[in-house]
Amino acid sequence: MTVKTVICHWFTFMLSFPRTQPLSSLQKFTQWSSVFAYCGGGLSLLVFPQLWDIILHLESNGRSEGYLRLTGLGVLEIGFIFVISARSTLQGPSHVTILGSIAERLLYVNGILLMLILRGMVPLSFGLVFMVLDSSLSLITLVIWFRETEGASVSLLIKEVFLPILNCHGARSGASNAAIFFVGFFQLLFSLIFVIRPEIARIILHLDRFHGNSKGFLATSFFTMSIHGWYHVINACAVNHPFVPAALFYRIFFNFPALIILGSVDQIEQTLCFAVLMCEICFFLIILFFDIFQKVLQNDESEEQILLTSTDKEKIEATSK
């Protein structure tokens, strides 16, 4: 098997292409809304933050622009994660990752953004854009799920979302999924500390003094990282195998290059760039190690099964003689 074949197989497996079954209306909506809203919006924040400054009248003093770009990178990656989650065929409830995003967006995202607005850390206009966007998409997602799911109810919704988490499927469904689960859990909690208290990051990493919206946008950049952690956890609990290569993919092709560029052109401090980059590299290596470890175990088990089968066959032939 050539390297090209391996890469193609890896990529198509990650994208669940070709699919054995067509996408449901819920999956289609999640996929395309994520592409346009999150991937498109995140890319515009990353590449053209000045456009957002003009439209929303943001203050780009100090490191505000660089942190806004970092936030855009996180939003772009959230969109990519949504696309993978929407396309994947899960071993758990079929829509658990999509339904999990409803609670996350309506409660977690809106709650944190409201806190940042009330504390004067982000402008009202900026916070409202994402609160309205997330709330609207979540409610539309909920309506579509109710319409296409037989016997849909609030209790079924809660059961599908939280039962896999409570049963801790993520930590018990193979080495690679366990790695995704624990990496996500750590990323969620650790990033949340800096969302609530970004000044801790400034002190630890010796960042520049906050000016304008820099404090709030630093918090929102860590906020997107905590959301990445949540989706690691929920995808692991849903036993979403394509998410494993996706978690490696977005770090290689999105995170690492963007962080290096932002640090190199002094959009963000080199200490911040180095710290986030090292964390992401560690997460990448942990996931990669356990993914390889699981594949080696599976290959060994397959070889043992083949040997056992051939041995049994020889015994049967010897007995018949």
Side-chain angles (χ1 to χ4, degrees), residues 150-296:
E150 186 177 350
S153 63
V154 175
S155 60
L156 179 62
L157 175 67
I158 295 172
K159 181 180 178 181
E160 286 209 4
V161 174
F162 292 104
L163 193 60
I165 299 175
L166 294 176
N167 290 336
C168 209
H169 286 165
R172 300 183 300 173
S173 53
S176 57
N177 259 309
I180 291 287
F181 178 85
F182 287 112
V183 162
F185 188 74
F186 176 82
Q187 188 172 357
L188 171 62
L189 295 183
F190 192 73
S191 299
L192 190 57
I193 295 172
F194 297 132
V195 175
I196 299 171
R197 297 292 299 274
E199 57 270 16
I200 295 176
R202 187 182 70 80
I203 295 169
I204 294 174
L205 300 175
H206 304 287
L207 305 180
D208 296 345
R209 288 186 176 276
F210 294 134
H211 297 285
N213 296 313
S214 59
K215 181 179 180 180
F217 291 152
L218 179 63
T220 56
S221 65
F222 281 113
F223 183 35
T224 60
M225 296 176 199
S226 73
I227 294 173
H228 298 162
W230 163 254
Y231 286 112
H232 278 61
V233 171
I234 196 71
N235 275 281
C237 290
V239 196
N240 184 3
H241 293 301
F243 185 79
V244 177
L248 299 173
F249 179 88
Y250 86 75
R251 287 182 166 91
I252 296 175
F253 293 100
F254 297 165
N255 250 0
F256 298 165
L259 285 169
I260 291 170
I261 292 171
L262 289 176
S264 300
V265 299
D266 200 36
Q267 281 287 299
I268 60 175
E269 297 91 340
Q270 291 188 357
T271 52
L272 176 62
C273 173
F274 181 79
V276 176
L277 190 60
M278 287 301 102
C279 285
E280 293 293 351
I281 289 174
C282 288
F283 295 154
F284 175 86
L285 292 175
I286 290 169
I287 296 169
L288 181 63
F289 172 79
F290 282 99
D291 188 38
I292 293 173
F293 177 73
Q294 180 171 310
K295 284 180 170 56
V296 169

Side-chain angles (χ1 to χ4, degrees), residues 89-159:
T89 302
L90 311 178
Q91 291 188 12
S94 58
H95 293 138
V96 62
T97 53
I98 297 174
L99 297 179
S101 74
I102 296 175
E104 175 265 333
R105 287 185 280 186
L106 287 177
L107 301 177
Y108 182 57
V109 171
N110 286 342
I112 293 295
L113 286 175
L114 183 61
M115 178 199 73
L116 295 177
I117 291 171
L118 293 177
R119 291 172 63 181
M121 293 171 64
V122 298
L124 177 63
S125 57
F126 181 82
L128 282 179
V129 166
F130 286 96
M131 291 175 73
V132 171
L133 174 68
D134 280 334
S135 298
S136 301
L137 293 178
S138 297
L139 293 175
I140 294 171
T141 301
L142 190 60
V143 169
I144 295 173
W145 180 76
F146 267 99
R147 291 188 63 179
E148 74 173 14
T149 303
E150 186 177 350
S153 63
V154 175
S155 60
L156 179 62
L157 175 67
I158 295 172
K159 181 180 178 181

Side-chain angles (χ1 to χ4, degrees), residues 31-47:
Q31 174 182 273
W32 291 112
S33 63
S34 301
V35 169
F36 291 110
Y38 296 107
C39 293
L43 187 62
S44 66
L45 272 172
L46 177 62
V47 181

